[in-house]
Each structure stands twice: as C-alpha cells, then as structure tokens.
Amino acid sequence: MDMADLGAQLAEVVGAAHALTGAAISADYAHDESLSFPAQAPACLVRPADAEQVAAVLKLAAAAGTPVTARGSGSGMCGAATPVPEGIVLSFERMNSIVDVDPVNFVAVVQPGVTLSELDEALAGHGLTYPVYPGELSATVGGTVATNAGGMRAVRYGVTRANVLGLQLALPDGELIRTGGPIAKCSTGYDLTQLVIGSEGTLALVTEATLKLHPRLPHQQTVLAPFTDLDEVIRAVPRILAAGLAPHILEYIDALTMAAITHTTNLTLGVPDQVRDTAQAYLVVALENRDADRLAEDVNAVAEMLAGDLGAMDAYVLDGPAAHKLIEAREKAFWTAKAAGAQEIIDVVVPRGAMPEFFATVRKLAQDTGSGAVGCGHAGDGNVHLAIFQADEQVRHELLHGIFAAGVAAGGAISGEHGIGREKKSHFQALENPAKLALMRRLKLAFDPDGVLNPGVLFD
Ligand SMILES: Cc1cc2nc3c(=O)[nH]c(=O)nc-3n(C[C@H](O)[C@H](O)[C@H](O)COP(=O)(O)OP(=O)(O)OC[C@H]3O[C@@H](n4cnc5c(N)ncnc54)[C@H](O)[C@@H]3O)c2cc1C
C-alpha cells in the first residue's frame, strides 16, 4: 500500500487534522535530543486521541508493514524517538489527561502524553509526588516509561521501574491489554509491566499508566561540598548513605562542569575563590523532611561529616534560592555541554564502589585519544554522565567503545537511564552477552512478529 492510501485510512481513524504527511509535518518530529544521531523526517505523523485510536493505527500499520515510532516530547538522548523515513510517527501529545489521582491508594492514572511538570503541578494540590524527576520535566509519562527514566531523586525513590504499578498497552496487532494495576503487589504470571518499561517503544505502546505516588515532604535543604579529589567525593557517598540520612539527591559535579554551569546560569554559590580554584569536584547532598527542625538536625550532621571525616574542603548549606538554582543548573548541564560543542553525552552505570577505577580508565582513554570527557552524575546510583569532546568520528567511536567496555567490565551497563536507541546499538550488540541478545530478539519477535514498532532501535 502506498503512503497516500495509508494516510487516507489513518485520517479516517484520527481525523484529517491529525494525520499529516510530507511537508505538513513540523521538523521537530524528525529528531530527539541525541547529539549524534541525525534527524530523519517521517512519511506520516498521526496524533491519536485515545487508546482505541492507537490500536487502530497499529492495526493499519501492521497490515501495510509500515514502521511506527512512538513519540512523547522528543527529549530522549539516543535517537530512540527519531523515526525511519518511510515510517509513521505516533505522537501522544493529544493523550494528555490525568485520569485519576487516588489519595487512598497513593496512585495516579494518567494518559501517556502528560508531561512530568503537568503531573507534578496536579499532584502538589494533593500533597503527593511522583518522584521521577529527570533533568527535563517536559518529558512525558509514556516516554519516561519507555526509557525507564531515572533522574536525581532515584537515589531515594528508585527509577521509573520502581514507580509504575500498571500499564494499558496497545500491542502491534491492535489488541489492548492491561498489566498490573492500582495494587501494591502482583504475583500472577510474567511481569509484562516491567518488560515493557525501558523497551524504548519496541514491544508495545503505552496508552495509560498507573503510577505509584509518595507523600510530598514540605522541607528541603541542600549542602554543597567541594573536594580536592573526585575519588574522595565518591568515597563519601556510601558513608552518607550508611548514616541513614536518606538524601533524595546525591550528585557529583566535576570542577570543569561546575565552572561551566555556574557561568552559563550566572550562579554564585558563596564558595571563596581560593577554594573554587583548588576544588576538583563537588558533592551536592539534598535532604527533605516533614519537619523543619529534624531536617536542620540532619543537614548539620551531613555538613559536619563532610567537612570532618569525609575530607571535604568545606561544606556550605545553601539558602533556598541558591539551592534551587544549583539543582536547575545541574539539570541543564546537557544544554551547557551541547553549547560548548560536545559531540556525545553518555550515562554509563557502574557499581558505586567501582566508580574511582572507572573514572581512572576514562581519564586514560580520553588522554590517549586526545579527547575531552567531563561531567556530573548521579553519584548515589553509580550513574556517570560524560560529555564527550572528540570531533573525529572514528576516534570517538573507539573511545566510546572503550568507555562502555570498561563500564561493563566493572559490572555495570552501557546506559543507566537514557537507553540505547539507535545511537548506541552497535556498542550494545558488541558488548552484551550473545545468549541474552538472542533471548531479547525472541521476545521482540513474540510481541512484534512483523517488526513494526520502532525498527532500528536496540536491534537492526
Ligand atoms: C536537558 C535534559 C536532561 C535530561 N535528564 C535526564 C535524567 O536526569 N534522567 C533521565 O533518565 N533522562 C534524562 N533526559 C532524557 C529524557 O528526558 C528521558 O529519556 C525521557 O524519558 C524522554 O521522554 P520523552 O517524553 O521526551 O520521550 P521521547 O524522547 O519522545 O521518546 C523516548 C522513547 O520512548 C518511546 N515512547 C514515547 N512515548 C511512548 C509510549 N506512549 N509508548 C511506548 N513508547 C513510547 C519513544 O519511541 C522512544 O523510544 C534528559 C534530557 C534532556 C534534554
């Protein structure tokens, strides 16, 4: 079937205003935020209004053998939402309702196109929170489920995987199913919810999500500690966690990245010049509590530990606005790196204890190839974010391969939260266990025998 015929059938399902082809499609739908995977315009864009329309679109696409790439906000970082040229982009932007907030079961039921900032705003009035806060709050619930997004608060609340109780899914053959639900536990067959989380739109499309909520604690404070050595920052992390202080943010920022993000956001943190000039890295520890006095006690304990036994040069308790700006600047580190000319952003995860050795390998690989590799990351999760500066594509590929291989050898994984997408596929296939890859391919075939959903992501 040619695209004109398919386009006409799709228009019957979603309405002519929401089935666009060719030049009528905005260039925004041709890419996500990957720095290295090129934009590719799709043949068709559809914007369904409900789950039934999503299922009907998939049925038509399967019959025509036309690829479908789901799209949330396009803030993904590895080309997973970049369509194939002959394919359909299925955008969830019209499916953006919060269906229910249930303060008894601590559950929200939402459509996939709801953004995290919209959800956060709606939950604030209930005194509740959905604790998945990646750096980009324009990300949608559907996109964060499909990438298993993490973010700064995962150290306390876990990543998306730990906060999704159930899904409604549109399968590639046009069936709709529900997995899990507003229930605290479920030992009833294979866990399809968890299988689809992180599958990057390759197994099924999320048409509704049931999310686990948490109380919204009213008091927060942030401590900033400069260190003369990045390894000491990393060694401080388990000591803070072992003290039972349960920070909700525990981030490291290397000195170059701190200089760049404070400069681009005009942020002054009250760190004296002589400290700033010798600091090699910073630890950011944010704590929250229902009670202001208890919080103050914990914050003092953290500051004393940091400036005492843990070897920080000092520990600064930031006032509200400065703390807020620092967290915001850290979230925007991606844009700062992009503006500075980084060719790639990666997010290898390793066991926390292996971070110093991993950093040493990265430094050596960067030096040997004449590249830059700097960044910040989720220290509490062993999730290292690196901005890579190396213009030569072949050298960059080899450098990335070396870094990913070192992460895997340390017992970690190529990506902790951004995913594999189209961008890191060759490294994923080269470094993963072949038997595991073969099983993943069989799972893909079981869900999507015609290979309609997001071909080229994870596998060719
Ligand atoms: C400045 C910045 C900071 C970031 N910080 C973080 C961070 O701290 N932690 C983190 O984890 N990520 C971070 N990200 C990456 C990004 O925000 C996440 O990957 C997010 O989950 C993507 O959501 P999205 O709605 O933009 O999805 P998209 O980019 O549109 O899509 C991502 C994937 O999900 C699939 N998809 C979308 N909707 C559905 C659906 N309904 N059903 C099935 N599949 C679907 C797409 O096909 C694609 O494979 C950051 C990005 C930026 C730009």
Side-chain angles (χ1 to χ4, degrees):
M1 187 186 306
D2 71 12
M3 189 43 80
D5 291 342
L6 181 58
Q9 292 187 12
L10 291 168
E12 272 177 39
V13 173
V14 298
H18 301 293
L20 308 179
T21 53
I25 303 171
S26 153
D28 284 349
Y29 294 99
H31 64 90
D32 62 8
E33 292 299 341
S34 163
L35 292 185
S36 61
F37 197 81
Q40 298 181 147
C44 184
L45 164 71
V46 292
R47 297 187 289 234
D50 57 32
E52 286 68 28
Q53 289 188 6
V54 175
V57 168
L58 289 185
K59 214 170 190 164
L60 285 174
T66 303
V68 176
T69 296
R71 183 180 182 86
S73 290
S75 72
M77 292 178 128
C78 50
T82 303
V84 287
E86 70 280 15
I88 299 169
V89 168
L90 191 156
S91 166
F92 283 96
E93 65 206 85
R94 289 172 72 211
M95 291 176 63
N96 61 351
S97 298
I98 295 172
V99 179
D100 187 31
V101 176
D102 172 351
V104 174
N105 293 306
F106 278 37
V107 154
V109 179
V110 304
Q111 288 190 314
V114 170
T115 66
L116 295 180
S117 57
E118 288 163 351
L119 181 59
D120 194 52
E121 209 173 294
L123 295 177
H126 295 271
L128 294 169
T129 184
Y130 175 62
V132 175
Y133 285 84
E136 185 56 59
L137 292 185
S138 71
T140 63
V141 168
T144 50
V145 168
T147 56
N148 185 27
M152 291 198 209
R153 300 188 195 190
V155 66
R156 177 156 186 181
Y157 294 101
V159 294
T160 299
R161 207 176 269 305
N163 291 288
V164 174
L165 298 172
L167 297 171
Q168 185 193 47
L169 298 171
L171 302 179
D173 62 3
E175 289 290 333
L176 287 171
I177 61 165
R178 284 189 181 276
T179 68
I183 44 181
K185 45 176 78 168
C186 178
S187 294
T188 311
Y190 299 132
D191 193 335
L192 299 177
T193 309
Q194 291 296 335
L195 193 51
V196 169
I197 294 172
S199 65
E200 303 187 46
T202 62
L203 299 181
L205 300 192
V206 176
T207 49
E208 193 177 272
T210 302
L211 308 174
K212 182 175 171 179
L213 306 179
H214 299 257
R216 196 178 189 94
L217 302 180
H219 304 285
Q220 282 103 27
Q221 268 199 317
T222 301
V223 183
L224 175 69
F227 284 77
T228 51
D229 183 355
L230 177 55
D231 290 358
E232 278 186 43
V233 175
I234 301 310
R235 277 194 283 272
V237 167
R239 301 273 303 276
I240 291 170
L241 293 171
L245 290 158
H248 67 289
I249 294 178
L250 200 44
E251 296 281 304
Y252 80 89
I253 305 175
D254 69 25
L256 211 65
T257 304
M258 182 62 107
I261 65 176
T262 48
H263 176 73
T264 51
T265 56
N266 271 332
L267 174 60
T268 38
L269 294 165
V271 179
D273 287 356
Q274 74 276 16
V275 174
R276 204 190 47 216
D277 292 347
T278 35
Q280 287 301 307
Y282 295 78
L283 187 63
V284 180
V285 188
L287 301 174
E288 56 183 2
N289 207 299
R290 66 184 174 83
D291 180 90
D293 291 338
R294 286 184 189 194
L295 177 64
E297 225 175 89
D298 284 354
V299 165
N300 285 338
V302 166
E304 274 173 25
M305 279 177 81
L306 283 164
D309 279 4
L310 300 184
M313 300 169 78
D314 207 339
Y316 308 97
V317 179
L318 302 181
D319 65 24
H324 181 76
K325 273 185 151 180
L326 174 62
I327 300 298
E328 211 175 61
R330 157 64 190 95
E331 283 170 346
K332 291 188 169 39
F334 166 76
W335 304 113
T336 307
K338 184 177 176 179
Q343 283 89 6
E344 198 79 68
I345 304 282
I346 56 173
D347 79 307
V348 179
V349 62
V350 296
R352 269 201 307 259
M355 285 173 84
E357 201 183 323
F358 177 69
F359 281 130
T361 307
V362 170
R363 273 194 295 270
K364 176 155 185 0
L365 289 169
Q367 204 171 18
D368 289 352
T369 55
S371 314
V374 294
C376 47
H378 310 312
D381 302 333
N383 196 187
V384 177
H385 290 52
L386 292 168
I388 302 292
F389 296 83
Q390 171 53 258
D392 184 298
E393 211 171 309
Q394 185 56 32
V395 176
R396 190 167 73 240
H397 182 86
E398 282 161 21
L399 169 66
L400 288 176
H401 199 78
I403 294 175
F404 292 142
V408 171
I414 292 171
S415 169
E417 53 183 24
H418 294 164
I420 297 297
R422 299 177 202 285
E423 194 185 272
K424 288 173 246 168
K425 181 172 50 178
S426 64
H427 303 291
F428 169 64
Q429 291 181 7
L431 292 169
E432 272 294 353
N433 174 304
K436 193 165 132 191
L437 285 172
L439 178 59
M440 286 191 192
R441 283 180 194 278
R442 292 201 295 277
L443 284 167
K444 165 73 177 167
L445 271 177
F447 272 82
D448 182 19
D450 300 320
V452 166
L453 284 183
N454 228 0
V457 166
L458 293 171
F459 302 107
D460 293 314

